[in-house]
Amino acid sequence: MNNQPIPFNRPFATGNEFRFIEEAIASRHLSGDGAFTMKCQGWLQGHSASAKSLLTHSCTAAMEIAALAFDLSPGDEVIMPSFTFSSTANAFALRGAVPVFVDIRADTLNIDETLVEAAITAQTKAIVPVHYAGVGCEMAQIIEIAEKHGLYVMEDAAQGVMSTYRGKRLGGIGHLAAYSFHETKNVISGEGGSLQINDEALVVSCEMIREKGTDRSQFLRGEKDKYTWQTIGSSFLPSELIAAFLWAQLSEVEQITRDRLLLWDSYHELLEPLENDGLLQRPFVPAECQHNAHMYYVILPESVDRQRVISAVGAQNIQLVSHYVPLHSAPAGKKYGRTPETLEITDLISSSLLRLPLWVGLEYDQQVRVVEALRAALKIQVD
Ligand SMILES: *Cc1c(COP(=O)(O)O)cnc(C)c1O
């Protein structure tokens, strides 16, 4: 029997990364904002029809720029799901703002838009929807609420490159948005990210925050004859070596996404009988959302011991992994955040979600092995 290891993730390389990195070295421009950064930013800007895209060294960094650009003060509140990565909350908590956690929808696992308005107080400054698994949040209602209350919207689109919501790219909808190119995402540069600026009025301040608080970007465009320290900022630029790697990936993003969607669809089909047998629940993608196959997850029945499933499938050399420990129940979430209501769906989902291996190069036979191992592990517990 084939017992080759099937890891949860295997970062994909297009084969052009070295060539572009060599070109960057030959150009003798190794710091940020060289030719490869411009290529990546140009692509990203066109992709999401943003006013501007700025490459950063991580999605976390892009969200930190956003928190600075929103000019938050200690005590200001930012509404977000608890079912997300620490960076979503941390970027705002760094500014002394309070992450306010609301529950998610049981179908998409995205922030429940019907709960957002009740969480708004006089201190609320922004709403931060997170597009889980690259499936869009209900942005029309979120934008409507934000406009009504004069709030900013920042999309955590870390997982959302190439996805759309009602025909618009994720990352191109809120005032600001952040993409991630961490090696676990669809398009990668090891570590990496970008800030998508969709509100023209925020372009100059975001540029300055990213460039150590200076107006260097305007100086380089010839709009200023010298550059000086203008505001609070930091160094959020990736070097050209990172941008060169990323350019190789962005150049093949269409193919990468097609490959991933095929794998996602195969899982969806292979797992249908297991769902019909009550062994698990498959993901749901609303009709107005085109996703990017960032992730394939299943939700296990409450009675199932997830760790036993992970161990049993792991014994077949197949790596399945859980996901977020909800932020509202994490030590820093309790200290820095506020949770107005109980988050029943968040708690339930986080304890019963399981992610399956999905990476470019995964074979159909391997997917069959994953599904068979999962079926066997669940049958023992459910029957
Ligand atoms: C990956 C991820 C991040 C962090 O991205 P980095 O590029 O590692 O900083 C933030 N939010 C979500 C939802 C993510 O999936």
Side-chain angles (χ1 to χ4, degrees):
M1 193 186 103
N2 181 357
N3 203 32
Q4 291 291 324
I6 304 178
F8 170 67
N9 184 45
R10 189 167 180 273
F12 173 69
T14 66
N16 290 322
E17 286 82 0
F18 273 128
R19 187 158 63 82
F20 291 160
I21 290 170
E22 269 175 10
E23 271 181 44
I25 295 169
S27 78
R28 293 290 186 266
H29 182 135
L30 300 178
S31 61
D33 283 351
F36 282 107
T37 298
M38 295 306 143
K39 280 182 205 258
C40 292
Q41 289 183 172
W43 189 91
L44 288 162
Q45 196 173 307
H47 171 70
S48 53
S50 298
K52 186 101 198 171
S53 171
L54 297 174
L55 231 49
T56 56
H57 49 69
S58 64
C59 173
T60 302
M63 295 196 285
E64 288 176 15
I65 297 176
L68 280 159
F70 291 165
D71 200 17
L72 299 180
S73 314
D76 285 347
E77 295 186 347
V78 180
I79 296 169
M80 63 181 68
S82 165
F83 188 66
T84 182
F85 193 60
S86 60
S87 298
T88 321
N90 199 70
F92 297 97
L94 260 179
R95 309 263 53 88
V98 179
V100 174
F101 300 118
V102 301
D103 214 351
I104 52 172
R105 291 164 47 140
D107 55 0
T108 57
L109 318 190
N110 282 329
I111 190 167
D112 186 338
E113 67 280 359
T114 66
L115 301 177
V116 169
E117 203 154 20
I120 293 174
T121 69
Q123 279 69 50
T124 308
K125 290 284 150 48
I127 307 171
V128 177
V130 179
H131 304 300
Y132 188 70
V135 175
C137 297
E138 192 43 71
M139 291 307 291
Q141 287 182 51
I142 291 169
I143 297 286
E144 192 183 313
I145 294 166
E147 281 175 356
K148 182 171 155 199
H149 295 271
L151 307 176
Y152 282 118
V153 174
M154 191 211 73
E155 299 169 67
D156 181 340
Q159 306 172 12
V161 177
M162 293 295 278
S163 295
T164 63
Y165 165 81
R166 295 193 186 175
K168 281 191 177 174
R169 295 286 186 191
L170 302 187
I173 304 170
H175 297 87
L176 297 174
Y179 288 143
S180 174
F181 307 117
H182 184 265
E183 75 164 31
T184 50
K185 304 303 197 292
N186 290 17
V187 174
I188 63 174
S189 57
E191 302 279 353
S194 80
L195 179 71
Q196 306 293 112
I197 308 167
N198 303 312
D199 177 359
E200 192 88 48
L202 292 170
V203 169
V204 171
S205 62
C206 288
E207 283 180 338
M208 291 197 292
I209 291 162
R210 174 173 169 271
E211 266 283 16
K212 302 92 180 168
T214 73
D215 49 3
R216 185 165 185 272
S217 298
Q218 289 163 283
F219 166 72
L220 291 177
R221 283 198 296 267
E223 296 165 18
K224 297 263 172 95
D225 58 2
K226 56 184 179 332
Y227 71 89
T228 56
W229 185 28
Q230 298 281 337
T231 186
I232 295 289
S234 190
S235 180
F236 291 112
L237 293 73
S239 94
E240 275 293 284
L241 303 180
I242 297 289
F245 191 107
L246 181 61
W247 182 242
Q249 297 260 323
L250 289 177
S251 304
E252 296 198 11
V253 65
E254 304 279 348
Q255 187 61 48
I256 291 169
T257 308
R258 268 198 297 275
D259 288 353
R260 294 187 71 102
L261 282 166
L262 282 175
L263 293 165
W264 198 98
D265 291 343
S266 296
Y267 272 138
H268 211 55
E269 208 178 294
L270 287 165
L271 289 162
E272 191 180 358
L274 280 72
E275 185 174 72
N276 292 340
D277 288 350
L279 295 177
L280 50 78
Q281 183 192 317
R282 296 178 301 160
F284 168 73
V285 180
E288 63 266 31
C289 296
Q290 171 58 55
H291 72 106
N292 61 358
H294 172 60
M295 187 194 299
Y296 200 96
Y297 66 79
V298 297
I299 309 291
L300 305 180
E302 252 179 284
S303 59
V304 167
D305 179 342
R306 178 175 58 185
Q307 196 48 51
R308 271 181 62 199
V309 174
I310 292 175
S311 302
V313 175
Q316 311 280 323
N317 249 341
I318 297 165
Q319 191 185 16
L320 304 183
V321 297
S322 60
H323 212 180
Y324 307 126
V325 174
L327 300 184
H328 75 281
S329 55
K334 286 183 189 158
K335 185 168 174 194
Y336 298 108
R338 189 167 73 76
T339 309
E341 305 281 347
T342 55
L343 308 183
E344 282 162 36
I345 297 170
T346 300
D347 287 331
L348 182 66
I349 292 293
S350 63
S351 61
S352 56
L353 181 141
L354 206 47
R355 292 179 292 161
L356 311 189
L358 200 170
W359 32 270
V360 175
L362 186 70
E363 307 272 345
Y364 183 76
D365 290 355
Q366 294 176 302
Q367 292 188 283
V368 172
R369 251 182 76 201
V370 171
V371 171
E372 285 315 310
L374 183 59
R375 186 207 305 272
L378 285 170
K379 276 253 171 210
I380 292 167
Q381 289 199 48
V382 173
D383 284 353

